Amino acid sequence: MNLSPIRALAPLLAAASLAVLPAGAHAAEAAWPDKPITLVSPYAPGGTTDILARMLSSRLNDRLGQPVIVENKPGAGGNIGTALVAKSKPDGYTFLLAASGPIVIAGTLYTKLNYKPEADFTAVSPLARTSFVVAVNAKSGLGSLDDIIAKGKTGDLSFGSAGSGTPQHIIGEMFNVAAKTKIQHIPYKGSGPLLNDLVGGQVPLAFENPLPIMQQVKAGNLKVLAVTGAQRSAALPDVPTLAESGIAGFDAQPWYGVLGPAGIPDAITQRMNKEVQAILASPDVKKQLADLGVEPMVMTPKEYQAFIAKDIVKWGQAVKASGATVD
């Protein structure tokens, strides 16, 4: 039996068989998405992540041709919902509306964390960053930053946050260090519940994202005394920075973005980045974000991954310097 023709064909047959598998994989990726997508918001409804998640999901519905369903999974300062996404299947059907706290703060703050912020996620696209604000209840008697510092030094003042380990918490502790105050921390399960008590007067002070509180500021229920970034906010041009108000060098700008579990196919990551960035560039979204004091962020997945790595170092150092602990 002459086997030479078969032997001659063997390399071609092997190459063909190898080509079939990637083609199938590419076909599956090309078909994405062919079912609903879940976008996890790791805080309670009403906060910044929830607002951004719902703004994004409605527009992604149209661009991707599939429902994008927001699921709120609050708890542990955003760590529960964040961990859920970290452990989900990397098939492009589960994403996280990430707040920077569980990604760049939690790894330093928590001695035990059931996900690795630096390794368990695919960086898809940033959304926005913002200077937070020093916000007080309008009837609290805190009319200036000097009032906060004076009362804060007595130990008879508290500030609320969206939860232990959130930027709101760490910025408050950074303020304590910089201003030499002893303001007590009260953690809530998200910005929504915090806002209710801030407006109601149960807690007098918060270092909060401007996005969820602007309506209450306009209504006169809350007052903004300073912003936490190095520059003034375009949405609040008359409000000084903490640095301008005498707390030199203070600069804190948390961010929000879209992450997936580690291992999402690159084609899906790139497509999602393209769609999210297109949404952020649309005139209506740009105006909406500007009105709320939020600045869109333009980055590729690779750039976003590098940005996150640097921020983990920066905020980790801030946590250690503040001496913050999990309440």
Side-chain angles (χ1 to χ4, degrees):
M1 183 178 181
N2 186 1
L3 296 178
S4 58
I6 296 175
R7 289 195 179 111
L9 287 171
L12 295 175
L13 292 170
S17 66
L18 288 174
V20 169
L21 292 176
H26 291 320
E29 291 175 23
W32 179 90
D34 61 3
K35 63 181 180 180
I37 294 169
T38 297
L39 182 60
V40 175
S41 174
Y43 296 99
T48 304
T49 53
D50 185 60
I51 292 170
L52 289 174
R54 295 181 191 282
M55 180 197 76
L56 191 63
S57 67
S58 63
R59 290 164 174 82
L60 284 173
N61 285 344
D62 298 333
R63 299 186 71 91
L64 296 175
Q66 289 289 341
V68 178
I69 302 163
V70 176
E71 288 190 4
N72 295 89
K73 298 289 184 181
N79 294 349
I80 290 176
T82 301
L84 185 151
V85 174
K87 298 177 186 305
S88 65
K89 188 177 179 180
D91 57 2
Y93 290 96
T94 304
F95 292 95
L96 174 70
L97 199 302
S100 55
I103 304 300
V104 302
I105 292 173
T108 303
L109 187 66
Y110 290 83
T111 55
K112 292 183 179 179
L113 199 64
N114 59 349
Y115 61 91
K116 296 178 181 178
E118 71 282 0
D120 288 351
F121 298 95
T122 297
V124 176
S125 176
L127 290 175
R129 58 187 156 205
T130 182
S131 292
F132 276 27
V133 296
V134 182
V136 297
N137 181 286
K139 298 178 181 178
S140 65
L142 301 171
S144 69
L145 207 61
D146 287 341
D147 291 340
I148 292 174
I149 293 172
K151 192 168 184 179
K153 287 181 182 294
T154 70
D156 187 28
L157 182 63
S158 60
F159 75 93
S161 84
S164 293
T166 60
Q168 291 93 325
H169 172 203
I170 300 306
I171 291 173
E173 300 294 0
M174 290 167 65
F175 182 90
N176 272 333
V177 172
K180 298 181 174 59
T181 52
K182 299 177 288 185
I183 308 172
Q184 301 300 310
H185 174 226
I186 301 175
Y188 285 78
K189 292 183 178 179
S191 291
L194 164 62
L195 180 58
N196 289 337
D197 275 8
L198 187 62
V199 171
Q202 286 81 7
V203 63
L205 165 68
F207 299 85
E208 184 54 87
N209 190 309
L211 197 156
I213 72 168
M214 289 307 295
Q215 282 189 323
Q216 296 297 338
V217 172
K218 292 174 182 176
N221 297 318
L222 301 178
K223 292 173 62 178
V224 171
L225 303 181
V227 298
T228 65
Q231 291 84 33
R232 293 194 181 197
S233 167
L236 299 163
D238 297 328
V239 177
T241 66
L242 282 170
E244 289 176 318
S245 303
I247 303 181
F250 206 105
D251 181 14
Q253 276 196 314
W255 51 263
Y256 303 86
V258 178
L259 303 180
I264 292 178
D266 186 62
I268 293 176
T269 301
Q270 296 295 337
R271 168 82 188 281
M272 191 69 157
N273 176 274
K274 175 185 174 182
E275 301 298 355
V276 170
Q277 292 287 314
I279 289 169
L280 294 176
S282 63
D284 65 319
V285 171
K286 289 175 75 172
K287 183 180 185 307
Q288 185 177 352
L289 294 179
D291 289 345
L292 295 168
V294 179
E295 175 191 350
M297 297 171 70
V298 179
M299 292 182 191
T300 65
K302 186 176 180 180
E303 291 168 339
Y304 186 31
Q305 189 73 60
F307 170 82
I308 291 172
K310 287 180 65 175
D311 234 31
I312 287 174
V313 174
K314 173 185 172 181
W315 282 89
Q317 291 171 343
V319 171
K320 290 176 182 176
S322 73
T325 58
V326 180
D327 299 277

